[in-house]
Amino acid sequence: MIEFIAENLAPIMFVSLIVFLLLGYPVAFSLAANGLLFFVIGVELAPLSDSINLSWPLLNAMPERLWGVMSNDTLLAIPFFTFMGIVLERSGMAEDLLDTIGQLFGPIRGGLAYAVIFVGALLAATTGVVAASVIAMGLISLPIMLRYGYDRSIASGVIAASGTLAQIIPPSLVLIVLADQLGRSVGDMYAGALIPGLVLTGLYMLYILIMTFLKRDSMPALPLEARSLGSGVTSLIVALAVAAGIAYAAHVYLYPTHGENADILGGTVGVIFIYIVALADKGLNINMMSRLAQQVIIVLIPPLALIFLVLGTIFLGIATPTEGGAMGAVGALVMAAAKGRLSLDVVRSALAATTRLSSFVLFILIGARVFSLTFYGVNGHLWVEHLLVSMPGGETGFLIAVNVLVFFLAFFLDFFELAFIIVPLLAPAADRLGIDLIWFGVLLGINMQTSFMHPPFGFALFYLRSVAAKIPYLDKVTGKRMEPVTTGQIYWGAVPFVGIQILMVGLTIMFPSMVMHYKGEGSGVDPATIKIEVPGFGGGGLGLPDNGGGLGLPGGLQLPAGNPLDGGGAQQPAEGGQQGTERKPATDLSSPPSFN
């Protein structure tokens, strides 16, 4: 029995960790305690198994491993982006966006749902924090959607799913962690995840479109009296067309001096121009634009500018993700101050929330380091790699098995726990199968997004439950008695969006180019046309004049002039030389040279 335990210590250790987690112990302490417990067992059982490489002196490596966690510059981006998201949520940006975009889409069926998805994508690209997005939209948009007759399940599902877009759309916190665990660039991970995130947003909107036809009364348009900004879509289209024209003109003007960056600079010029015009039109009461066009431009430009400040500088190579996060945090403070909503209480609450999340991540990382020291010492990584690589179906079988595993583990673990526990075990097997780790990381990120939406443990559902009405209430606008949103309605509303996320996993596997574009177009050279000619020695020569020095150099290395494989330097005509040219005899190497 003892020999069996010694030979199978790796799987026993992994199963015991799952048991610890299912019993409800904190993840960080479960990892550390499991690692230390099995370290003691492994040291005692080491003489009984060749697969156990543990000894007491190995613990001396632990301080260095923990220092490596704390000195990791990449993880410094997490507190920056968290702080930025909390400040933006406190600044009222989400409220302004939802109100304005809701007015823009209001005249069509499902308009408020489209607005929630659109704003969810914008918040994801500015905050990167799921909790902030879900809570903000739940507080602001859910009462409005219920006021105008939206189906409770659909309204709840749209809000929760749109908030989880912060999981996959850069600057997502989970993408930072995945890049760190996979040993890849955060910038490449962001670039690879951008298109899948936008495609997932489009799938959400497509679902709403389909539901407006299947259940016409589930998402009615806003009544005329609720459209306080009035109409004016034509004015907005004209303003955008003018901005596009100015951007193109600036691009043409700047191209000779700035090259490929001229398109970004030209777009910046066009956006700044139309923003200044909208501010002047509203401030001076010129009324050249409609109120709707003014509000949309004034509300949308600042968060878009913040997105460019963060993601644009990262993609252009101007800033690292950590530096981009720092600039985003400063930009969030400036936006909050511009709205007159920056106060000491806002900064204090943002710092407190940032400290809690950063401490949570750090303690999980420390526990994961303790666990991995023991797990690798019992060759657990080799056991996992062999188990996954030897699955039937090769790469396809591996991807199916991994995604099914992550999907079911997401019922019980959140994305941080999955990233720190599961991903380091999966990465070596994926790398051995030749799978691009950036693509693999984005695929896992999309799959782990379901951890926020899984009934009954999805954190996005918990966030929405915490702000949704639990008892009947009187609507502030209509004065009508509104029924509460039940937990069952929130859960059923999440199910279709979990299905959409699974569909997105399949699309990413079928169309890897959605992610692989991060590598760029390359040089355009067909590898099959590349011909490498290796020059030979002796008779094949390097094409250099032979002065009897062996390699054709004066004084050379004094190697034999002929081919050493041809019987001690048989005479061969030099390439390009005359036939029959007399050569010096080969140097006699049978005895050491004399220096007398």
Side-chain angles (χ1 to χ4, degrees):
M1 182 65 178
I2 299 297
E3 289 80 3
F4 175 81
I5 294 175
E7 291 295 334
N8 296 277
L9 198 58
I12 294 173
M13 184 178 178
F14 186 77
V15 171
S16 67
L17 174 63
I18 301 299
V19 172
F20 267 84
L21 295 175
L22 291 178
L23 289 175
Y25 288 101
V27 176
F29 302 121
S30 297
L31 286 166
N34 202 279
L36 291 175
L37 173 64
F38 278 89
F39 188 93
V40 175
I41 297 174
V43 170
E44 297 298 326
L45 297 182
L48 301 178
S49 174
D50 294 334
S51 62
I52 300 178
N53 304 304
L54 294 176
S55 61
W56 293 115
L58 191 60
L59 284 178
N60 295 330
M62 186 53 62
E64 185 177 352
R65 290 169 66 85
L66 300 185
W67 174 252
V69 172
M70 292 183 284
S71 60
N72 191 338
D73 292 338
T74 301
L75 296 178
L76 191 59
I78 291 177
F80 284 135
F81 284 123
T82 304
F83 180 80
M84 180 181 73
I86 300 299
V87 169
L88 288 175
E89 189 251 327
R90 301 286 194 275
S91 71
M93 184 188 73
E95 182 178 353
D96 294 341
L97 282 171
L98 283 167
D99 180 58
T100 304
I101 304 303
Q103 295 278 335
L104 180 63
F105 289 104
I108 61 176
R109 284 203 309 273
L112 287 176
Y114 292 126
V116 167
I117 296 171
F118 184 82
V119 173
L122 276 179
L123 292 178
T126 50
T127 66
V129 182
V130 173
S133 299
V134 174
I135 291 173
M137 291 191 295
L139 286 171
I140 300 163
S141 62
L142 184 58
I144 300 174
M145 298 172 85
L146 299 183
R147 179 183 305 154
Y148 296 112
Y150 270 64
D151 182 89
R152 281 171 163 71
S153 294
I154 294 178
S156 302
V158 166
I159 293 171
S162 300
T164 62
L165 288 173
Q167 170 95 345
I168 193 62
I169 294 180
S172 162
L173 298 183
V174 72
L175 293 179
I176 298 174
V177 175
L178 284 173
D180 177 70
Q181 294 298 302
L182 294 171
R184 292 297 185 266
S185 162
V186 177
D188 287 344
M189 191 70 76
Y190 278 177
L194 187 59
I195 291 180
L198 297 177
V199 171
L200 184 59
T201 305
L203 290 177
Y204 286 172
M205 291 189 172
L206 180 61
Y207 168 73
I208 296 301
L209 177 64
I210 293 173
M211 292 304 296
T212 56
F213 287 102
L214 297 180
K215 299 177 68 176
R216 297 179 63 89
D217 297 330
S218 62
M219 292 175 283
L222 278 179
L224 190 60
E225 61 272 14
R227 304 174 203 167
S228 58
L229 293 179
S231 58
V233 176
T234 303
S235 175
L236 177 62
I237 294 174
V238 171
L240 295 178
V242 171
I246 293 175
Y248 179 74
H251 164 75
V252 173
Y253 176 77
L254 295 171
Y255 187 79
T257 55
H258 292 80
E260 294 181 355
N261 289 334
D263 51 354
I264 296 177
L265 295 174
T268 303
V269 170
V271 169
I272 292 175
F273 172 81
I274 199 64
Y275 185 62
I276 293 174
V277 170
L279 286 176
D281 189 49
K282 183 177 181 179
L284 301 176
N285 291 322
I286 301 174
N287 295 325
M288 181 171 54
M289 300 180 183
S290 66
R291 286 185 59 206
L292 179 63
Q294 287 177 0
Q295 190 69 7
V296 168
I297 293 172
I298 292 173
V299 168
L300 272 183
I301 297 301
L304 291 175
L306 188 62
I307 292 171
F308 173 76
L309 182 67
V310 176
L311 297 181
T313 53
I314 294 174
F315 291 157
L316 291 176
I318 299 173
T320 65
T322 302
E323 294 165 346
M327 291 191 295
V330 174
L333 291 172
V334 171
M335 285 182 58
K339 291 178 176 292
R341 297 178 180 176
L342 182 63
S343 64
L344 188 60
D345 289 338
V346 169
V347 176
R348 186 184 294 113
S349 63
L351 287 174
T354 301
T355 303
R356 282 195 298 270
L357 180 62
S358 301
S359 302
F360 169 72
V361 173
L362 183 63
F363 271 95
I364 289 182
L365 264 175
I366 291 174
R369 282 289 187 269
V370 176
F371 178 83
S372 64
L373 178 69
T374 305
F375 197 66
Y376 278 59
V378 298
N379 286 329
H381 60 300
L382 298 179
W383 168 69
V384 173
E385 181 178 336
H386 176 73
L387 181 68
L388 294 174
V389 171
S390 60
M391 282 187 173
E395 180 180 327
T396 303
F398 168 79
L399 291 174
I400 293 174
V402 164
N403 280 286
V404 171
L405 172 68
V406 171
F407 178 78
F408 281 106
L409 286 178
F411 277 94
F412 313 103
L413 305 176
D414 72 2
F415 71 94
F416 274 130
E417 296 158 358
L418 288 170
F420 289 133
I421 299 172
I422 302 300
V423 173
L425 302 178
L426 301 178
D431 194 35
R432 184 175 171 184
L433 289 171
I435 297 173
D436 184 89
L437 291 186
I438 292 290
W439 178 80
F440 187 63
V442 172
L443 183 67
L444 290 181
I446 297 171
N447 197 332
M448 285 191 287
Q449 187 177 352
T450 60
S451 68
F452 282 96
M453 296 290 291
H454 275 314
F457 302 112
F459 278 88
L461 308 182
F462 292 161
Y463 299 144
L464 184 59
R465 175 69 281 172
S466 67
V467 297
K470 301 179 182 64
I471 58 174
Y473 66 97
L474 294 178
D475 186 76
K476 295 180 180 179
V477 176
T478 62
K480 295 180 180 178
R481 185 177 185 273
M482 305 295 295
E483 294 299 320
V485 179
T486 66
T487 302
Q489 289 169 338
I490 294 176
Y491 285 172
W492 280 113
V495 171
F497 291 95
V498 173
I500 293 174
Q501 290 166 349
I502 296 173
L503 173 63
M504 190 66 218
V505 171
L507 291 176
T508 306
I509 295 175
M510 293 171 60
F511 303 101
S513 59
M514 284 193 295
V515 177
M516 299 302 291
H517 71 90
Y518 82 92
K519 290 186 173 182
E521 298 179 358
S523 61
V525 178
D526 183 3
T529 64
I530 299 176
K531 183 179 181 182
I532 301 176
E533 295 182 355
V534 180
F537 292 94
L542 293 176
L544 300 174
D546 187 8
N547 295 320
L551 291 182
L553 302 176
L557 297 179
Q558 297 302 321
L559 296 178
N563 190 335
L565 301 179
D566 291 340
Q571 302 298 320
Q572 296 290 340
E575 185 178 354
Q578 298 177 359
Q579 296 289 337
T581 300
E582 185 177 350
R583 291 184 177 273
K584 294 182 181 180
T587 303
D588 184 8
L589 299 178
S590 61
S591 60
S594 175
F595 297 99
N596 294 330

